[in-house]
Amino acid sequence: MTAVASRIISADCHINEPPWVFDRVPDKFKATAPSEYCGTNVLVTSLDDYVGYDLIRTGWPQLADMVMYSTDYPHSLCLWPDTRDYVAKLMHGLTPEQKDKICFGNAARVYNI
């Protein structure tokens, strides 16, 4: 059997959704811990997900490996022109490495740019 690499990138979901999904994966599919797919096969974009960023700070730091911050300009839910203010509020208390991953590093890695 040949393994096939695949990726799921969920746009506009909340960061707190993957832990919820991973927790509900049936045991028969858990040869690899579901959380190990964070940042390799499962990625999300985020806007103003305060609960999700709290999860990164308080118990799921590996989520920083799977989040790509998004502004969605020009979109009706866009946070522009106050994007920098939102980013500062959302990411307070995160490490510089986590902020770099979320703001540009994960996207650069995933899209090879």
Side-chain angles (χ1 to χ4, degrees):
M1 178 181 282
T2 304
V4 177
S6 61
R7 240 182 222 146
I8 298 170
I9 299 174
S10 178
D12 294 339
C13 85
H14 292 284
I15 302 167
N16 61 347
E17 292 173 12
W20 182 86
V21 171
F22 291 155
D23 187 50
R24 280 147 182 80
V25 173
D27 287 339
K28 65 183 176 181
F29 296 112
K30 291 185 180 178
T32 301
S35 60
E36 291 182 32
Y37 294 106
C38 289
T40 56
N41 298 80
V42 179
L43 297 108
V44 298
T45 65
S46 81
L47 286 165
D48 56 347
D49 180 4
Y50 290 96
V51 171
Y53 285 97
D54 282 343
L55 279 173
I56 294 171
R57 278 187 288 279
T58 62
W60 278 76
Q62 68 270 32
L63 290 174
D65 294 329
M66 67 181 297
V67 178
M68 297 179 285
Y69 186 78
S70 131
T71 61
D72 276 0
Y73 179 82
H75 185 277
S76 61
L77 297 176
C78 175
L79 301 176
W80 185 88
D82 302 316
T83 305
R84 289 179 188 222
D85 293 337
Y86 278 102
V87 169
K89 290 175 191 172
L90 288 165
M91 297 189 193
H92 80 276
L94 297 185
T95 68
E97 180 184 33
Q98 289 171 322
K99 292 176 186 178
D100 288 351
K101 286 179 182 180
I102 293 167
C103 289
F104 63 87
N106 292 335
R109 175 177 50 83
V110 169
Y111 295 111
N112 295 317
I113 54 173

